[in-house]
Amino acid sequence: MLIDYHAKCIFNFKYQSGNITLNLPTLSDIQQAESRIREAVHRTPVLRSRQVDERTGCRVYFKCENFQRVGAFKFRGASNAVFSLSEEDSKNGVATHSSGNHAQAIALAAKMKNIPAYIVMPENSPEVKKRAVAGYGAEITFCEPTQQAREETLEKVVENTGSTFIHPYNDPRIIAGQGTSALELLQDYPDTEIILAPVGGGGLASGTAIAACGMKPEVKVIGCEPEIADDAYLSFKTGELQPSKNTQTVADGLRTGLGELTFACLQKHLHSIVTVSEEEIVSAMRYIWERMNIIIEASCAVPVAALFNDKIEDVKGKNVAIIITGGNVDLDHLPWE
Amino acid sequence: MLIDYHAKCIFNFKYQSGNITLNLPTLSDIQQAESRIREAVHRTPVLRSRQVDERTGCRVYFKCENFQRVGAFKFRGASNAVFSLSEEDSKNGVATHSSGNHAQAIALAAKMKNIPAYIVMPENSPEVKKRAVAGYGAEITFCEPTQQAREETLEKVVENTGSTFIHPYNDPRIIAGQGTSALELLQDYPDTEIILAPVGGGGLASGTAIAACGMKPEVKVIGCEPEIADDAYLSFKTGELQPSKNTQTVADGLRTGLGELTFACLQKHLHSIVTVSEEEIVSAMRYIWERMNIIIEASCAVPVAALFNDKIEDVKGKNVAIIITGGNVDLDHLPWE
C-alpha cells in the first residue's frame, strides 16, 4: 500500500508561477517553516482536563489551535506559504478559494506582508467568516457554493490580478506550516505516544504525521474522519485516491477530499484512519464546550469522538495528543439545536 | 461613605456552629487561603487578545477562572471554607443553597474532604448544573425557585443533618478564597493597574479588592454590575445596604444582593462601581466567544462590557485585568438566540 513517494509525487501546480516541481515535505521543511513563522504565530497552549482523562483512561493533551491567530491552525500553513513567496511573486498578491479558515488565514498573512489578498468565497459562507476576511482587508469575490464555481471564479481572479494561488492543503508549504503545531507539541510534550488529527483535505494530518515520524518515529499518528465523509479512510484502505463524498457532515471543515500530495504524505507517514458517526461528533463537541469551557469546531470534535467511542486501539494508559484545529463556529447555528 | 469596619462589622452567622464573631478578612487571610487550597485549585492562566487590546486601547489581562475546577472561581472560596472546618464541624458535612456554581464548588470540595454535602437547589436550575452537583456525589434537595423557599428548605436540611451551612458569599472564608484569584494575578502580572470584577453577592469583588489593596494599594478595583440589578451600585453610592432588585438580568450570577460583610468589604476597599445595559452584556459575551474561543458566562461579560462601552474612566493605555468568573452556561439557552 505504501508508495515510493520520491518517484511518484512530483506535481505541477496549475496556479503557481512557473512549473515548479515538488517533492513531499520533510521534517526539515517543517523546521524551516517554524523559524519562518515563529514571530507571526502563537505558540499555542496545551490544555488538559481531569474529566477527560477519567473518562478515557488516558492522559490527553489538547493542542489548542483554536487559540491560534484567526482561530485555527490554518494560519500556520498560510503564513508559511505567503512568507515563502519571492518578492517578485509577492507583488501581485495572493489568491485562494475557501469558505472559512483558510480564507481568513491567507488574508491575515497577506496583510502582515502588506500585499493584496483575493479571496473567492461561496456566498453561503458563515457571516462571521465573511466579516473576518473583510476585516483583514482582503478583496472578496463571492460565487455559487459549488466546487466548480469556486475554481472557475478563482481562475478568473488569478487571471485578472496576476496573483499567486495558494491551495488550502495540496501544497508543500501549507503542509509544512501545518506541521509546526505537532512540532511544538512534541517539543513541549515529548512523552506523547499517539497523536489524533482530523482529516479533511489532509494538510494538517500530513504535516502532523511528517513531524512525528521525523521527530519521534515511535509516535503513532492516527487520522479521524466522519463516517459519512470517509473518502480518506477509503483512499488509505484501497491505496487509490477516492473522490470526496459531497456530504453535509456537521464537521464542515472535513467535507473536502484529499489531494494527490496529501494522500501521498498520509500513505507514507500515517498509522491509520478511523471514522465516527455524526451523533458521536456532536456529542463530543458539546462535551468539550461544557467541561473545558473552550469553543472547538466540529471538525476537531472528530478525533475527540474517536477517543471517546473506543475507535483507537490499544490506547488505555497512553499519552494521547489531539490537535484542536480551531474554534470558528457560527454561534447562530449550533449543531445540537 | 467609608465606615469604620472594625467597629461595625461583627456578625453572627446563623448557620455556623456556635456564635462565631468575625472581622473583615485581610490580605493575610487570603494568603493563608492560598496555601490551604493551592493543591486543590488550578492556578488559572491569564489570556490576552490582540483584538481586544486594539478595540480598547488597553493591555487586557483575562484571568480565566472559567478554567478553574467546576468551571468557576467559586471553587476557590468553597474549598477554603470546607478545608477550614474543624474535624468536629466536618463530620456531619456541609450544606448550602445555590442554583449553580457555588453548589458544584461545595459538592466537589466536600468530596475531596470525604464529607457529605447537602445542596438545596431551585427546581428550575440549569440541567447541566444539576447533573454536575449530583456527579460530585452531593445530596440534592429541590425547592421552589424563591429566596424564601431556599432558606426554609436549607434550614430543614441543616436541622436534620447537623451539617454546617456555608453561605455563598457573606462569609469571610469564602471571601478570602475568592481573593486568591487576584493574588495569583498580581503575582503573575505585577504591572496590573486596574482590576474589573463583576458584583453579585460581592464575594469575588470583596476578595479581589482586599487582595489588591493589600498587595498593591495603587491598583484600582472597580466593580461592574448590570443596570437592571444595580443594588450594589446604589448601596455603594448611598452608603446604605440596598436590597436586591429581583430582576431577570441575563447575568444570572449577579441577580443576588450584597451581604452585610461583603458590603463592608466593598465600602472599605473598592474604588467604584459602574453599570452596563443588558444589550452591552450580551454583545460583549458573544464577542469574547467569537474572538477568543473561550466560553464565558454572562456575569463576567459585565466587566468586559464596561470596558468596551467606555464606562471605565481614565483607562486608555492602562494594564487592565478582568476576572473571568466562569463558563458554566446552559448551551441550550444562549442569550443571543
mmCIF file of all heavy atoms in Angstrom, chain A residues 42 50 66-67 69 71 128 131 286 289-290 292-295 327 331-332 334 336-337, chain B residues 42 50 66-67 69 71 128 131 286 289-290 292-295 327 331-332 334 336-337:
data_model
loop_
_atom_site.group_PDB
_atom_site.id
_atom_site.type_symbol
_atom_site.label_atom_id
_atom_site.label_comp_id
_atom_site.label_asym_id
_atom_site.label_seq_id
_atom_site.Cartn_x
_atom_site.Cartn_y
_atom_site.Cartn_z
ATOM 1 N N HIS A 42 1.012 32.267 17.169
ATOM 2 C CA HIS A 42 1.055 31.989 18.602
ATOM 3 C C HIS A 42 1.594 30.581 18.821
ATOM 4 O O HIS A 42 1.202 29.653 18.102
ATOM 5 C CB HIS A 42 -0.351 32.024 19.209
ATOM 6 C CG HIS A 42 -0.981 33.374 19.191
ATOM 7 N ND1 HIS A 42 -0.314 34.515 19.537
ATOM 8 C CD2 HIS A 42 -2.233 33.756 18.886
ATOM 9 C CE1 HIS A 42 -1.129 35.545 19.447
ATOM 10 N NE2 HIS A 42 -2.297 35.120 19.039
ATOM 11 N N ARG A 50 -9.072 16.945 33.697
ATOM 12 C CA ARG A 50 -9.175 15.792 34.586
ATOM 13 C C ARG A 50 -10.356 14.898 34.183
ATOM 14 O O ARG A 50 -10.258 13.676 34.197
ATOM 15 C CB ARG A 50 -9.417 16.333 35.992
ATOM 16 C CG ARG A 50 -8.941 15.495 37.127
ATOM 17 C CD ARG A 50 -9.249 16.216 38.428
ATOM 18 N NE ARG A 50 -8.583 17.521 38.481
ATOM 19 C CZ ARG A 50 -7.575 17.798 39.295
ATOM 20 N NH1 ARG A 50 -7.132 16.882 40.119
ATOM 21 N NH2 ARG A 50 -7.019 18.994 39.293
ATOM 22 N N ASN A 66 -7.312 26.406 18.412
ATOM 23 C CA ASN A 66 -8.418 27.374 18.486
ATOM 24 C C ASN A 66 -7.948 28.676 19.133
ATOM 25 O O ASN A 66 -8.626 29.694 19.007
ATOM 26 C CB ASN A 66 -9.632 26.786 19.226
ATOM 27 C CG ASN A 66 -9.292 26.197 20.573
ATOM 28 O OD1 ASN A 66 -8.135 25.865 20.856
ATOM 29 N ND2 ASN A 66 -10.283 26.049 21.423
ATOM 30 N N PHE A 67 -6.791 28.662 19.775
ATOM 31 C CA PHE A 67 -6.204 29.912 20.289
ATOM 32 C C PHE A 67 -5.141 30.478 19.335
ATOM 33 O O PHE A 67 -4.418 31.398 19.688
ATOM 34 C CB PHE A 67 -5.597 29.693 21.683
ATOM 35 C CG PHE A 67 -6.612 29.308 22.720
ATOM 36 C CD1 PHE A 67 -6.272 28.485 23.779
ATOM 37 C CD2 PHE A 67 -7.926 29.761 22.647
ATOM 38 C CE1 PHE A 67 -7.209 28.132 24.743
ATOM 39 C CE2 PHE A 67 -8.871 29.407 23.605
ATOM 40 C CZ PHE A 67 -8.513 28.587 24.654
ATOM 41 N N ARG A 69 -3.887 32.471 15.879
ATOM 42 C CA ARG A 69 -4.414 33.650 15.176
ATOM 43 C C ARG A 69 -5.409 33.184 14.120
ATOM 44 O O ARG A 69 -5.273 32.103 13.559
ATOM 45 C CB ARG A 69 -3.265 34.438 14.544
ATOM 46 C CG ARG A 69 -2.329 34.964 15.643
ATOM 47 C CD ARG A 69 -1.461 36.065 15.152
ATOM 48 N NE ARG A 69 -2.257 37.271 14.901
ATOM 49 C CZ ARG A 69 -1.738 38.425 14.524
ATOM 50 N NH1 ARG A 69 -0.449 38.549 14.344
ATOM 51 N NH2 ARG A 69 -2.530 39.460 14.322
ATOM 52 N N GLY A 71 -8.013 32.001 14.796
ATOM 53 C CA GLY A 71 -8.805 30.967 15.462
ATOM 54 C C GLY A 71 -8.642 29.567 14.906
ATOM 55 O O GLY A 71 -9.490 28.711 15.146
ATOM 56 N N VAL A 128 -19.819 35.247 10.079
ATOM 57 C CA VAL A 128 -18.673 35.600 10.917
ATOM 58 C C VAL A 128 -17.365 35.471 10.126
ATOM 59 O O VAL A 128 -16.434 36.250 10.308
ATOM 60 C CB VAL A 128 -18.671 34.746 12.220
ATOM 61 C CG1 VAL A 128 -18.555 33.266 11.936
ATOM 62 C CG2 VAL A 128 -17.579 35.183 13.171
ATOM 63 N N ARG A 131 -17.141 38.439 7.535
ATOM 64 C CA ARG A 131 -16.739 39.670 8.234
ATOM 65 C C ARG A 131 -15.249 39.648 8.566
ATOM 66 O O ARG A 131 -14.551 40.638 8.424
ATOM 67 C CB ARG A 131 -17.526 39.825 9.548
ATOM 68 C CG ARG A 131 -18.925 40.372 9.399
ATOM 69 C CD ARG A 131 -19.432 40.952 10.734
ATOM 70 N NE ARG A 131 -19.424 39.990 11.838
ATOM 71 C CZ ARG A 131 -20.410 39.145 12.117
ATOM 72 N NH1 ARG A 131 -21.514 39.143 11.380
ATOM 73 N NH2 ARG A 131 -20.322 38.317 13.147
ATOM 74 N N ARG A 286 -19.996 19.012 22.167
ATOM 75 C CA ARG A 286 -20.705 19.619 23.283
ATOM 76 C C ARG A 286 -20.017 19.307 24.615
ATOM 77 O O ARG A 286 -19.943 20.157 25.494
ATOM 78 C CB ARG A 286 -22.168 19.131 23.291
ATOM 79 C CG ARG A 286 -22.948 19.783 24.390
ATOM 80 C CD ARG A 286 -24.448 19.629 24.214
ATOM 81 N NE ARG A 286 -25.080 20.254 25.353
ATOM 82 C CZ ARG A 286 -26.298 20.757 25.359
ATOM 83 N NH1 ARG A 286 -27.030 20.701 24.274
ATOM 84 N NH2 ARG A 286 -26.785 21.315 26.423
ATOM 85 N N TRP A 289 -17.133 21.670 25.026
ATOM 86 C CA TRP A 289 -17.637 23.017 25.352
ATOM 87 C C TRP A 289 -18.045 23.086 26.823
ATOM 88 O O TRP A 289 -17.693 24.025 27.522
ATOM 89 C CB TRP A 289 -18.856 23.364 24.467
ATOM 90 C CG TRP A 289 -18.563 23.746 23.060
ATOM 91 C CD1 TRP A 289 -17.736 23.112 22.179
ATOM 92 C CD2 TRP A 289 -19.131 24.855 22.334
ATOM 93 N NE1 TRP A 289 -17.762 23.752 20.967
ATOM 94 C CE2 TRP A 289 -18.611 24.812 21.028
ATOM 95 C CE3 TRP A 289 -20.053 25.851 22.663
ATOM 96 C CZ2 TRP A 289 -18.962 25.752 20.046
ATOM 97 C CZ3 TRP A 289 -20.408 26.779 21.692
ATOM 98 C CH2 TRP A 289 -19.862 26.733 20.404
ATOM 99 N N GLU A 290 -18.796 22.080 27.258
ATOM 100 C CA GLU A 290 -19.349 22.132 28.623
ATOM 101 C C GLU A 290 -18.297 21.892 29.692
ATOM 102 O O GLU A 290 -18.332 22.523 30.744
ATOM 103 C CB GLU A 290 -20.472 21.088 28.790
ATOM 104 C CG GLU A 290 -21.772 21.508 28.141
ATOM 105 C CD GLU A 290 -22.932 20.569 28.460
ATOM 106 O OE1 GLU A 290 -22.691 19.462 28.987
ATOM 107 O OE2 GLU A 290 -24.080 20.953 28.154
ATOM 108 N N MET A 292 -14.755 21.829 29.321
ATOM 109 C CA MET A 292 -13.469 22.543 29.252
ATOM 110 C C MET A 292 -13.646 24.045 29.020
ATOM 111 O O MET A 292 -12.671 24.800 29.101
ATOM 112 C CB MET A 292 -12.573 21.919 28.176
ATOM 113 C CG MET A 292 -12.140 20.499 28.539
ATOM 114 S SD MET A 292 -11.014 19.752 27.320
ATOM 115 C CE MET A 292 -9.547 20.767 27.536
ATOM 116 N N ASN A 293 -14.861 24.473 28.715
ATOM 117 C CA ASN A 293 -15.135 25.896 28.501
ATOM 118 C C ASN A 293 -14.293 26.512 27.393
ATOM 119 O O ASN A 293 -13.910 27.681 27.465
ATOM 120 C CB ASN A 293 -14.992 26.691 29.799
ATOM 121 C CG ASN A 293 -16.156 26.434 30.729
ATOM 122 O OD1 ASN A 293 -17.249 26.125 30.273
ATOM 123 N ND2 ASN A 293 -15.927 26.547 32.019
ATOM 124 N N ILE A 294 -13.989 25.701 26.412
ATOM 125 C CA ILE A 294 -13.357 26.237 25.209
ATOM 126 C C ILE A 294 -14.265 25.948 24.026
ATOM 127 O O ILE A 294 -15.036 24.977 24.038
ATOM 128 C CB ILE A 294 -11.948 25.648 24.954
ATOM 129 C CG1 ILE A 294 -11.982 24.120 24.809
ATOM 130 C CG2 ILE A 294 -10.992 26.077 26.068
ATOM 131 C CD1 ILE A 294 -10.632 23.516 24.433
ATOM 132 N N ILE A 295 -14.199 26.816 23.042
ATOM 133 C CA ILE A 295 -15.011 26.643 21.845
ATOM 134 C C ILE A 295 -14.175 25.916 20.808
ATOM 135 O O ILE A 295 -13.109 26.397 20.407
ATOM 136 C CB ILE A 295 -15.510 28.011 21.339
ATOM 137 C CG1 ILE A 295 -16.518 28.565 22.351
ATOM 138 C CG2 ILE A 295 -16.112 27.891 19.941
ATOM 139 C CD1 ILE A 295 -17.093 29.909 22.011
ATOM 140 N N GLY A 327 -11.682 27.080 16.350
ATOM 141 C CA GLY A 327 -12.896 27.373 17.099
ATOM 142 C C GLY A 327 -13.812 28.331 16.366
ATOM 143 O O GLY A 327 -14.588 29.042 16.997
ATOM 144 N N LEU A 331 -22.185 30.934 15.804
ATOM 145 C CA LEU A 331 -22.905 30.806 17.077
ATOM 146 C C LEU A 331 -24.415 30.888 16.908
ATOM 147 O O LEU A 331 -25.158 30.617 17.838
ATOM 148 C CB LEU A 331 -22.422 31.868 18.068
ATOM 149 C CG LEU A 331 -20.959 31.739 18.519
ATOM 150 C CD1 LEU A 331 -20.586 32.893 19.444
ATOM 151 C CD2 LEU A 331 -20.711 30.413 19.220
ATOM 152 N N ASP A 332 -24.855 31.271 15.723
ATOM 153 C CA ASP A 332 -26.303 31.269 15.465
ATOM 154 C C ASP A 332 -26.808 29.896 15.024
ATOM 155 O O ASP A 332 -28.013 29.687 14.933
ATOM 156 C CB ASP A 332 -26.655 32.304 14.394
ATOM 157 C CG ASP A 332 -26.488 33.715 14.919
ATOM 158 O OD1 ASP A 332 -26.834 33.942 16.100
ATOM 159 O OD2 ASP A 332 -26.000 34.580 14.170
ATOM 160 N N LEU A 334 -25.809 26.259 16.107
ATOM 161 C CA LEU A 334 -25.033 25.235 16.812
ATOM 162 C C LEU A 334 -25.628 23.861 16.520
ATOM 163 O O LEU A 334 -26.843 23.721 16.384
ATOM 164 C CB LEU A 334 -25.030 25.539 18.310
ATOM 165 C CG LEU A 334 -24.297 26.854 18.627
ATOM 166 C CD1 LEU A 334 -24.412 27.192 20.108
ATOM 167 C CD2 LEU A 334 -22.828 26.770 18.228
ATOM 168 N N TRP A 336 -26.272 21.198 18.078
ATOM 169 C CA TRP A 336 -27.171 20.459 18.970
ATOM 170 C C TRP A 336 -28.539 21.126 19.071
ATOM 171 O O TRP A 336 -29.375 20.679 19.844
ATOM 172 C CB TRP A 336 -26.557 20.306 20.360
ATOM 173 C CG TRP A 336 -25.956 21.557 20.901
ATOM 174 C CD1 TRP A 336 -26.614 22.614 21.455
ATOM 175 C CD2 TRP A 336 -24.567 21.877 20.919
ATOM 176 N NE1 TRP A 336 -25.710 23.572 21.814
ATOM 177 C CE2 TRP A 336 -24.447 23.147 21.512
ATOM 178 C CE3 TRP A 336 -23.405 21.207 20.500
ATOM 179 C CZ2 TRP A 336 -23.202 23.767 21.684
ATOM 180 C CZ3 TRP A 336 -22.193 21.831 20.683
ATOM 181 C CH2 TRP A 336 -22.090 23.089 21.265
ATOM 182 N N GLU A 337 -28.746 22.185 18.304
ATOM 183 C CA GLU A 337 -30.036 22.890 18.408
ATOM 184 C C GLU A 337 -31.137 22.102 17.712
ATOM 185 O O GLU A 337 -30.897 21.498 16.682
ATOM 186 C CB GLU A 337 -29.914 24.283 17.772
ATOM 187 C CG GLU A 337 -29.387 25.283 18.762
ATOM 188 C CD GLU A 337 -28.923 26.580 18.066
ATOM 189 O OE1 GLU A 337 -29.222 26.786 16.878
ATOM 190 O OE2 GLU A 337 -28.271 27.371 18.742
ATOM 191 N N HIS B 42 -6.803 24.975 40.452
ATOM 192 C CA HIS B 42 -5.905 25.275 39.335
ATOM 193 C C HIS B 42 -5.383 26.696 39.481
ATOM 194 O O HIS B 42 -6.157 27.609 39.791
ATOM 195 C CB HIS B 42 -6.652 25.206 37.998
ATOM 196 C CG HIS B 42 -7.110 23.842 37.633
ATOM 197 N ND1 HIS B 42 -6.328 22.730 37.788
ATOM 198 C CD2 HIS B 42 -8.267 23.410 37.100
ATOM 199 C CE1 HIS B 42 -6.993 21.668 37.377
ATOM 200 N NE2 HIS B 42 -8.183 22.041 36.962
ATOM 201 N N ARG B 50 -5.183 40.171 21.039
ATOM 202 C CA ARG B 50 -4.753 41.324 20.259
ATOM 203 C C ARG B 50 -5.955 42.175 19.849
ATOM 204 O O ARG B 50 -5.915 43.404 19.896
ATOM 205 C CB ARG B 50 -4.080 40.788 18.996
ATOM 206 C CG ARG B 50 -3.011 41.650 18.395
ATOM 207 C CD ARG B 50 -2.448 40.935 17.175
ATOM 208 N NE ARG B 50 -1.866 39.644 17.558
ATOM 209 C CZ ARG B 50 -0.551 39.398 17.523
ATOM 210 N NH1 ARG B 50 0.290 40.335 17.145
ATOM 211 N NH2 ARG B 50 -0.091 38.212 17.870
ATOM 212 N N ASN B 66 -12.811 30.577 34.323
ATOM 213 C CA ASN B 66 -13.611 29.577 33.597
ATOM 214 C C ASN B 66 -12.809 28.295 33.388
ATOM 215 O O ASN B 66 -13.391 27.260 33.063
ATOM 216 C CB ASN B 66 -14.143 30.140 32.269
ATOM 217 C CG ASN B 66 -13.064 30.764 31.406
ATOM 218 O OD1 ASN B 66 -11.987 31.147 31.888
ATOM 219 N ND2 ASN B 66 -13.337 30.891 30.128
ATOM 220 N N PHE B 67 -11.495 28.350 33.607
ATOM 221 C CA PHE B 67 -10.682 27.133 33.557
ATOM 222 C C PHE B 67 -10.402 26.587 34.966
ATOM 223 O O PHE B 67 -9.583 25.681 35.130
ATOM 224 C CB PHE B 67 -9.362 27.387 32.820
ATOM 225 C CG PHE B 67 -9.537 27.755 31.372
ATOM 226 C CD1 PHE B 67 -8.650 28.601 30.737
ATOM 227 C CD2 PHE B 67 -10.598 27.257 30.632
ATOM 228 C CE1 PHE B 67 -8.807 28.942 29.398
ATOM 229 C CE2 PHE B 67 -10.776 27.596 29.290
ATOM 230 C CZ PHE B 67 -9.870 28.441 28.671
ATOM 231 N N ARG B 69 -11.451 24.611 38.490
ATOM 232 C CA ARG B 69 -12.256 23.404 38.716
ATOM 233 C C ARG B 69 -13.709 23.820 38.932
ATOM 234 O O ARG B 69 -13.989 24.886 39.464
ATOM 235 C CB ARG B 69 -11.710 22.629 39.923
ATOM 236 C CG ARG B 69 -10.277 22.153 39.632
ATOM 237 C CD ARG B 69 -9.863 21.060 40.556
ATOM 238 N NE ARG B 69 -10.611 19.842 40.279
ATOM 239 C CZ ARG B 69 -10.410 18.695 40.910
ATOM 240 N NH1 ARG B 69 -9.487 18.620 41.850
ATOM 241 N NH2 ARG B 69 -11.116 17.631 40.604
ATOM 242 N N GLY B 71 -15.385 24.920 36.795
ATOM 243 C CA GLY B 71 -15.647 25.946 35.775
ATOM 244 C C GLY B 71 -15.912 27.332 36.307
ATOM 245 O O GLY B 71 -16.478 28.167 35.602
ATOM 246 N N VAL B 128 -27.472 21.204 33.376
ATOM 247 C CA VAL B 128 -26.043 20.904 33.409
ATOM 248 C C VAL B 128 -25.506 21.068 34.831
ATOM 249 O O VAL B 128 -24.625 20.322 35.264
ATOM 250 C CB VAL B 128 -25.275 21.768 32.377
ATOM 251 C CG1 VAL B 128 -25.427 23.255 32.656
ATOM 252 C CG2 VAL B 128 -23.809 21.408 32.309
ATOM 253 N N ARG B 131 -26.807 18.105 37.028
ATOM 254 C CA ARG B 131 -26.027 16.891 36.737
ATOM 255 C C ARG B 131 -24.651 16.959 37.387
ATOM 256 O O ARG B 131 -24.163 15.974 37.941
ATOM 257 C CB ARG B 131 -25.838 16.724 35.216
ATOM 258 C CG ARG B 131 -27.014 16.120 34.492
ATOM 259 C CD ARG B 131 -26.574 15.547 33.127
ATOM 260 N NE ARG B 131 -25.936 16.537 32.269
ATOM 261 C CZ ARG B 131 -26.573 17.323 31.406
ATOM 262 N NH1 ARG B 131 -27.895 17.261 31.292
ATOM 263 N NH2 ARG B 131 -25.911 18.184 30.652
ATOM 264 N N ARG B 286 -20.780 37.614 23.491
ATOM 265 C CA ARG B 286 -20.641 36.986 22.180
ATOM 266 C C ARG B 286 -19.295 37.330 21.540
ATOM 267 O O ARG B 286 -18.667 36.493 20.889
ATOM 268 C CB ARG B 286 -21.799 37.427 21.280
ATOM 269 C CG ARG B 286 -21.741 36.744 19.946
ATOM 270 C CD ARG B 286 -23.039 36.846 19.187
ATOM 271 N NE ARG B 286 -22.846 36.206 17.898
ATOM 272 C CZ ARG B 286 -23.796 35.677 17.160
ATOM 273 N NH1 ARG B 286 -25.035 35.725 17.569
ATOM 274 N NH2 ARG B 286 -23.525 35.107 16.017
ATOM 275 N N TRP B 289 -16.692 35.068 23.034
ATOM 276 C CA TRP B 289 -16.846 33.715 22.480
ATOM 277 C C TRP B 289 -16.264 33.653 21.064
ATOM 278 O O TRP B 289 -15.521 32.746 20.728
ATOM 279 C CB TRP B 289 -18.332 33.312 22.435
ATOM 280 C CG TRP B 289 -18.954 32.925 23.729
ATOM 281 C CD1 TRP B 289 -18.843 33.578 24.932
ATOM 282 C CD2 TRP B 289 -19.810 31.805 23.973
ATOM 283 N NE1 TRP B 289 -19.591 32.926 25.882
ATOM 284 C CE2 TRP B 289 -20.192 31.845 25.326
ATOM 285 C CE3 TRP B 289 -20.308 30.776 23.159
ATOM 286 C CZ2 TRP B 289 -21.045 30.878 25.897
ATOM 287 C CZ3 TRP B 289 -21.157 29.817 23.727
ATOM 288 C CH2 TRP B 289 -21.508 29.873 25.084
ATOM 289 N N GLU B 290 -16.617 34.618 20.225
ATOM 290 C CA GLU B 290 -16.222 34.576 18.809
ATOM 291 C C GLU B 290 -14.744 34.852 18.609
ATOM 292 O O GLU B 290 -14.119 34.243 17.751
ATOM 293 C CB GLU B 290 -17.043 35.586 17.994
ATOM 294 C CG GLU B 290 -18.453 35.107 17.710
ATOM 295 C CD GLU B 290 -19.212 36.019 16.753
ATOM 296 O OE1 GLU B 290 -18.730 37.138 16.468
ATOM 297 O OE2 GLU B 290 -20.303 35.620 16.303
ATOM 298 N N MET B 292 -12.164 35.027 21.089
ATOM 299 C CA MET B 292 -11.171 34.355 21.937
ATOM 300 C C MET B 292 -11.393 32.847 22.029
ATOM 301 O O MET B 292 -10.544 32.118 22.561
ATOM 302 C CB MET B 292 -11.148 34.991 23.326
ATOM 303 C CG MET B 292 -10.645 36.443 23.280
ATOM 304 S SD MET B 292 -10.512 37.211 24.919
ATOM 305 C CE MET B 292 -9.172 36.239 25.657
ATOM 306 N N ASN B 293 -12.552 32.387 21.518
ATOM 307 C CA ASN B 293 -12.854 30.953 21.539
ATOM 308 C C ASN B 293 -12.841 30.357 22.939
ATOM 309 O O ASN B 293 -12.473 29.196 23.125
ATOM 310 C CB ASN B 293 -11.915 30.173 20.612
ATOM 311 C CG ASN B 293 -12.274 30.403 19.166
ATOM 312 O OD1 ASN B 293 -13.432 30.683 18.851
ATOM 313 N ND2 ASN B 293 -11.315 30.298 18.283
ATOM 314 N N ILE B 294 -13.226 31.164 23.894
ATOM 315 C CA ILE B 294 -13.442 30.628 25.236
ATOM 316 C C ILE B 294 -14.899 30.880 25.609
ATOM 317 O O ILE B 294 -15.522 31.829 25.122
ATOM 318 C CB ILE B 294 -12.501 31.251 26.295
ATOM 319 C CG1 ILE B 294 -12.662 32.778 26.368
ATOM 320 C CG2 ILE B 294 -11.055 30.879 26.005
ATOM 321 C CD1 ILE B 294 -11.857 33.428 27.491
ATOM 322 N N ILE B 295 -15.414 30.001 26.449
ATOM 323 C CA ILE B 295 -16.793 30.127 26.899
ATOM 324 C C ILE B 295 -16.787 30.871 28.223
ATOM 325 O O ILE B 295 -16.172 30.420 29.191
ATOM 326 C CB ILE B 295 -17.449 28.739 27.008
ATOM 327 C CG1 ILE B 295 -17.611 28.171 25.593
ATOM 328 C CG2 ILE B 295 -18.787 28.824 27.739
ATOM 329 C CD1 ILE B 295 -18.247 26.817 25.518
ATOM 330 N N GLY B 327 -17.517 29.742 33.282
ATOM 331 C CA GLY B 327 -18.005 29.428 31.947
ATOM 332 C C GLY B 327 -19.140 28.424 31.974
ATOM 333 O O GLY B 327 -19.355 27.699 31.006
ATOM 334 N N LEU B 331 -26.025 25.544 27.331
ATOM 335 C CA LEU B 331 -25.824 25.664 25.884
ATOM 336 C C LEU B 331 -27.125 25.531 25.097
ATOM 337 O O LEU B 331 -27.150 25.802 23.901
ATOM 338 C CB LEU B 331 -24.802 24.628 25.401
ATOM 339 C CG LEU B 331 -23.376 24.815 25.942
ATOM 340 C CD1 LEU B 331 -22.477 23.677 25.456
ATOM 341 C CD2 LEU B 331 -22.788 26.149 25.516
ATOM 342 N N ASP B 332 -28.182 25.122 25.757
ATOM 343 C CA ASP B 332 -29.484 25.068 25.077
ATOM 344 C C ASP B 332 -30.195 26.416 25.100
ATOM 345 O O ASP B 332 -31.219 26.587 24.440
ATOM 346 C CB ASP B 332 -30.382 24.007 25.729
ATOM 347 C CG ASP B 332 -29.881 22.609 25.434
ATOM 348 O OD1 ASP B 332 -29.422 22.377 24.290
ATOM 349 O OD2 ASP B 332 -29.923 21.756 26.331
ATOM 350 N N LEU B 334 -28.847 30.106 24.830
ATOM 351 C CA LEU B 334 -27.841 31.161 24.733
ATOM 352 C C LEU B 334 -28.541 32.509 24.592
ATOM 353 O O LEU B 334 -29.589 32.609 23.951
ATOM 354 C CB LEU B 334 -26.908 30.877 23.558
ATOM 355 C CG LEU B 334 -26.087 29.583 23.753
ATOM 356 C CD1 LEU B 334 -25.270 29.276 22.514
ATOM 357 C CD2 LEU B 334 -25.186 29.697 24.968
ATOM 358 N N TRP B 336 -28.193 35.176 22.944
ATOM 359 C CA TRP B 336 -28.393 35.880 21.670
ATOM 360 C C TRP B 336 -29.379 35.175 20.759
ATOM 361 O O TRP B 336 -29.576 35.576 19.626
ATOM 362 C CB TRP B 336 -27.059 36.078 20.933
ATOM 363 C CG TRP B 336 -26.215 34.847 20.878
ATOM 364 C CD1 TRP B 336 -26.372 33.772 20.060
ATOM 365 C CD2 TRP B 336 -25.077 34.573 21.717
ATOM 366 N NE1 TRP B 336 -25.399 32.839 20.348
ATOM 367 C CE2 TRP B 336 -24.595 33.307 21.343
ATOM 368 C CE3 TRP B 336 -24.431 35.277 22.730
ATOM 369 C CZ2 TRP B 336 -23.489 32.724 21.961
ATOM 370 C CZ3 TRP B 336 -23.330 34.701 23.338
ATOM 371 C CH2 TRP B 336 -22.869 33.435 22.960
ATOM 372 N N GLU B 337 -29.974 34.097 21.257
ATOM 373 C CA GLU B 337 -30.914 33.352 20.393
ATOM 374 C C GLU B 337 -32.245 34.102 20.265
ATOM 375 O O GLU B 337 -32.682 34.745 21.206
ATOM 376 C CB GLU B 337 -31.166 31.968 20.987
ATOM 377 C CG GLU B 337 -30.092 30.982 20.555
ATOM 378 C CD GLU B 337 -30.138 29.695 21.390
ATOM 379 O OE1 GLU B 337 -31.116 29.483 22.123
ATOM 380 O OE2 GLU B 337 -29.174 28.929 21.297
#
